[in-house]
Amino acid sequence: MSCRLPMAPDPESFWTLLRDGRNAITDVPEDRWQTVEPAADAGVRRGGFLDGIGEFDAGFFGISPREAAAMDPQQRLVLELAWEALEDGGIVPARLRESRTSVFVGTLRDDYESLVHRQGAAAITQHTMTGVNRGIIANRVSYYLGLRGPSLTVDAAQSSSLVAVHLACESLRSGESSLAIAAGVNLNILGEGAVAGERFGGLSPDGVAYTFDARANGFVRGEGGAVVVLKPLARAVADGDRVYGVIRGSAVNNDGATAGLTVPSREAQRLVLHEAYTKAGVSPDDVQYVELHGTGTPVGDPVEAAALGEALGRGRGTADPVLVGSAKTNVGHLEGAAGIVGLLKALLSIRHRRIPASLNFETPNPAIPLDDLGLSVVRELRDWPHPERRLLAGVSSFGMGGTNCHVVLAEAPEVLAGNGTAPGEPASVSCAVVPWVVSGRGEEALRAQAARLRSAAVVRDADPRDVSWSLLTTRTRFQTSAVVLGEDRDTLLTGLDALTTGRPSPHVITGTAANNGRLAYLFTGQGAQRNGMGRELYEHSPTFRTALNNTCDALDPHLPHPLRDIMFAPHNTTKGNLLHQTHYTQPALFALETALYHLLTHHGLKPDYLAGHSIGELTAAHLAG
């Protein structure tokens, strides 16, 4: 997953914002909304805003400056977040090329198109049509990554992004997609959007979201984006993925004919909840928490509460209510991206096994009898109820035109509760010197990556070997590269400091990879043997151990003593001294080199050439077939 939200540029900082009970609502930045009068109500002037929405590393994506300027910033943001989400999932984007990976993006705004057309015909270029088309938001990701699955932008008003998640899940279940990228994005570039919300009667005049509270008087606008990467659970288990949560089921419907186009239907919302939990095979009594649509409007909140109470809360009483809350009290209502923000909050709450407070709640709305409905608003950071059970949550999102969506989440199976490990090899392989590989598109990008890696390593206090594994196996390798070497965490961090500032260091190796470089393995001959060679790898690497065992088993019938015992015997012992006799030296080197070859190829190093000297020449011939 990845996100860019007000005061939260990534999921970890979003969780910190939620955990600490802070809100990111501020006055509109000075460089926005020049058409809105400074004396406008707080509801128009306040919201959750991103910094630097015009910033974009066009060169990273191979986009010219002219085309980048013509692109809706929503396109740019989703491109960046899709890349970050794949990295977070341990997926090298290049490996998805030509795959049936799908992209579903929920959004409803086209502020940038309006801004461009204000400039008149002179501002229209060859890139304008693709730059401002909302469908291209999803298509741009598919194009850049070379994805062959469905690719579409979803506009279901405020429920767009959660509907995008639902469609992504259905595409995976049907086999239409092998992997799915689901996203939501919303940027409030023009002030007219805020004015429209005010005149519609939906905005909170004081710029505060009072979800389910007696003071509820409207929503507060927010902006940003989020992306999740989805795959079938069985495949995630097989791939050893880190899994934030499991989508058990989801449902979408519409209000139909109500008292007005934007008047919500309690019955339709109840039905979408019932259908989602039926599909998920989850009893309503087992649901512990629901992330509300929760806009804080005097009309919408009571309808949502009544539907939720009928579907999940009736009969539960005050002893075991359904806990509810809304991220809109923290970052505002992201409209087309609101649903996926709620999904991220629920997933992070499951991941951390804590439920953050829903802000600005003091006295229940008189039209929402919480006790009778079996509901309880979370007022402070707390543990999950019944933590001994599998954690279960729901996420709701409703569009003003009546399109309702609900997603049912569960915590991941225990086997997936850790950080994830590539199949067949542990994350922590013991070795004296650990390499941290960093790369970027140019020197400036390389230094920036080093700085980000250092910051993340300090915050997460991760095992240096686990970091090394992830950098080697789950990151794209760009042409400008560096390797930071160290025997401990402090040495590695010192090396990153040097790389970040461009200072020389004995712990840092930098260089530029050749575009068409080829890889050769050279196997040595007699004289390179040493007592104990391969023993540590044998103890820690299943791949190496299997390959060495297979080779030794084939050679042992031809030797007076088992070869592995001779290789691992200590120096200056009877068995250890045998290693230096030719009839043990050469089979031992052959076995070691064969096992090393299989270990390296397991990790993706495929040689173009094999060569060797003496017994190494026989090893090369054997491995070449």
Side-chain angles (χ1 to χ4, degrees):
M1 67 166 67
S2 65
C3 69
R4 203 75 51 78
L5 299 170
M7 299 186 187
D10 52 58
E12 284 192 0
S13 54
F14 182 41
W15 171 251
T16 301
L17 182 83
L18 295 167
R19 182 198 64 198
D20 295 348
R22 295 184 286 115
N23 78 73
I25 307 304
T26 63
D27 288 334
V28 61
E30 292 183 0
D31 60 348
R32 303 262 198 108
W33 300 6
Q34 303 301 322
T35 57
V36 175
E37 293 296 327
D41 289 344
V44 174
R45 302 293 308 176
R46 290 182 64 77
F49 300 97
L50 299 183
D51 294 327
I53 63 170
E55 296 174 1
F56 178 60
D57 188 352
F60 181 90
F61 296 100
I63 297 172
S64 71
R66 287 186 178 182
E67 184 172 9
M71 289 168 57
D72 187 333
Q74 294 181 131
Q75 289 187 29
R76 308 175 204 163
L77 182 56
V78 171
L79 263 179
E80 293 175 340
L81 291 176
W83 183 277
E84 291 174 9
L86 290 171
E87 282 199 333
D88 183 64
I91 299 170
V92 177
R95 295 175 188 164
L96 298 179
R97 190 163 294 276
E98 308 300 322
S99 71
R100 294 287 297 173
T101 299
S102 55
V103 182
F104 297 86
V105 180
T107 190
L108 60 80
R109 293 247 158 252
D110 54 9
D111 286 16
Y112 197 68
E113 180 178 15
S114 299
L115 187 63
V116 168
H117 290 315
R118 276 185 190 174
Q119 311 305 314
I124 298 175
T125 72
Q126 68 185 98
H127 302 299
T128 300
M129 182 173 287
T130 54
V132 300
N133 186 296
R134 270 189 289 172
I136 300 294
I137 298 176
N139 301 161
R140 183 82 68 173
V141 175
S142 300
Y143 170 76
Y144 177 69
L145 298 176
L147 312 178
R148 291 292 180 84
S151 180
L152 60 146
T153 301
V154 180
D155 185 352
Q158 288 78 6
S159 57
S160 298
S161 61
L162 205 61
V163 171
V165 172
H166 166 79
L167 293 174
C169 291
E170 294 300 301
S171 185
L172 289 168
R173 289 193 177 100
S174 71
E176 178 184 56
S177 301
S178 56
L179 188 79
I181 297 170
V185 65
N186 186 67
L187 293 178
N188 299 320
I189 299 171
L190 296 180
E192 284 83 348
V195 174
E198 179 193 40
R199 295 182 184 174
F200 172 72
L203 284 188
S204 167
D206 51 5
V208 180
Y210 299 107
T211 300
F212 277 26
D213 191 87
R215 296 166 292 170
N217 58 4
F219 67 89
V220 180
R221 302 181 83 214
E223 67 178 8
V227 172
V228 293
V229 178
L230 307 170
K231 67 165 65 172
L233 180 60
R235 184 177 162 198
V237 172
D239 292 346
D241 290 335
R242 173 178 58 186
V243 175
Y244 289 96
V246 179
I247 295 178
R248 290 287 302 267
S250 59
V252 173
N253 72 4
N254 192 270
D255 290 341
T258 60
L261 174 64
T262 61
V263 176
S265 165
R266 182 181 69 184
E267 178 62 9
Q269 291 184 19
R270 184 191 69 79
L271 288 172
V272 83
L273 290 162
H274 175 75
E275 183 180 353
Y277 287 100
T278 299
K279 284 183 176 180
V282 170
S283 168
D285 293 338
D286 293 332
V287 181
Q288 295 142 301
Y289 174 74
V290 170
E291 175 64 17
L292 302 166
H293 182 60
T295 55
T297 58
V299 174
D301 282 5
V303 171
E304 180 175 9
L308 192 59
E310 289 181 21
L312 302 180
R314 295 292 189 188
R316 295 176 65 139
T318 57
D320 187 26
V322 179
L323 301 179
V324 298
S326 174
K328 294 177 179 66
T329 62
N330 300 93
V331 294
H333 186 352
L334 268 74
E335 301 180 58
I340 202 165
V341 173
L343 182 76
L344 256 64
K345 176 186 172 183
L347 287 169
L348 290 168
S349 298
I350 288 172
R351 179 76 174 171
H352 293 278
R353 301 187 73 82
R354 301 276 277 169
I355 303 176
S358 190
L359 307 183
N360 312 320
F361 181 82
E362 294 178 0
T363 305
N365 186 323
I368 303 177
L370 291 172
D371 291 345
D372 294 343
L373 295 172
L375 308 177
S376 177
V377 177
V378 180
R379 302 186 185 210
E380 59 185 8
L381 181 69
R382 56 159 293 164
D383 294 330
W384 281 73
H386 310 294
E388 73 283 357
R389 302 180 189 169
R390 189 178 184 186
L391 305 188
L392 287 168
V395 181
S396 290
S397 191
F398 310 133
M400 68 178 181
T403 298
N404 309 307
C405 184
H406 190 81
V407 170
V408 183
L409 296 175
E411 67 177 322
E414 189 172 346
V415 68
L416 294 171
N419 285 333
T421 304
E425 203 67 45
S428 299
V429 176
S430 177
C431 53
V433 177
V434 176
W436 281 4
V437 178
V438 190
S439 68
R441 293 190 188 274
E443 292 291 340
E444 186 177 349
L446 177 64
R447 294 181 184 182
Q449 285 296 313
R452 290 188 66 185
L453 175 59
R454 190 194 190 288
S455 176
V458 170
V459 170
R460 299 180 187 181
D461 194 23
D463 186 318
R465 295 165 296 179
D466 290 339
V467 175
S468 176
W469 176 270
S470 295
L471 292 171
L472 286 167
T473 62
T474 69
R475 290 295 183 269
T476 299
R477 198 89 68 248
F478 297 108
Q479 196 170 8
T480 305
S481 301
V483 181
V484 180
L485 299 168
E487 296 182 356
D488 53 53
R489 187 168 173 274
D490 289 342
T491 304
L492 288 160
L493 293 177
T494 300
L496 286 177
D497 283 336
L499 182 58
T500 300
T501 58
R503 292 182 286 108
S505 167
H507 303 291
V508 179
I509 302 166
T510 59
T512 301
N515 288 330
N516 298 310
R518 295 188 177 185
L519 178 64
Y521 286 174
L522 177 64
F523 299 102
T524 188
Q526 191 164 341
Q529 73 277 5
R530 65 175 178 84
N531 295 107
M533 61 183 186
R535 185 179 60 242
E536 287 185 60
L537 276 175
Y538 185 87
E539 292 172 352
H540 294 282
S541 169
T543 300
F544 181 87
R545 181 165 56 249
T546 299
L548 189 69
N549 284 342
N550 290 341
T551 308
C552 289
D553 289 346
L555 293 169
D556 281 349
H558 307 285
L559 297 169
H561 299 286
L563 183 58
R564 196 169 51 247
D565 293 350
I566 304 300
M567 293 172 62
F568 294 168
H571 180 58
N572 281 337
T573 62
T574 301
K575 281 190 176 181
N577 291 333
L578 292 177
L579 179 64
H580 303 288
Q581 296 181 10
T582 298
H583 61 282
Y584 284 112
T585 301
Q586 294 195 352
L589 288 171
F590 178 89
L592 177 73
E593 291 168 349
T594 298
L596 286 171
Y597 171 86
H598 287 294
L599 176 63
L600 292 172
T601 53
H602 172 80
H603 290 312
L605 289 173
K606 308 294 185 184
D608 299 288
Y609 303 105
L610 297 173
H613 165 68
S614 181
I615 188 64
E617 186 175 2
L618 294 183
T619 308
H622 161 64
L623 295 172

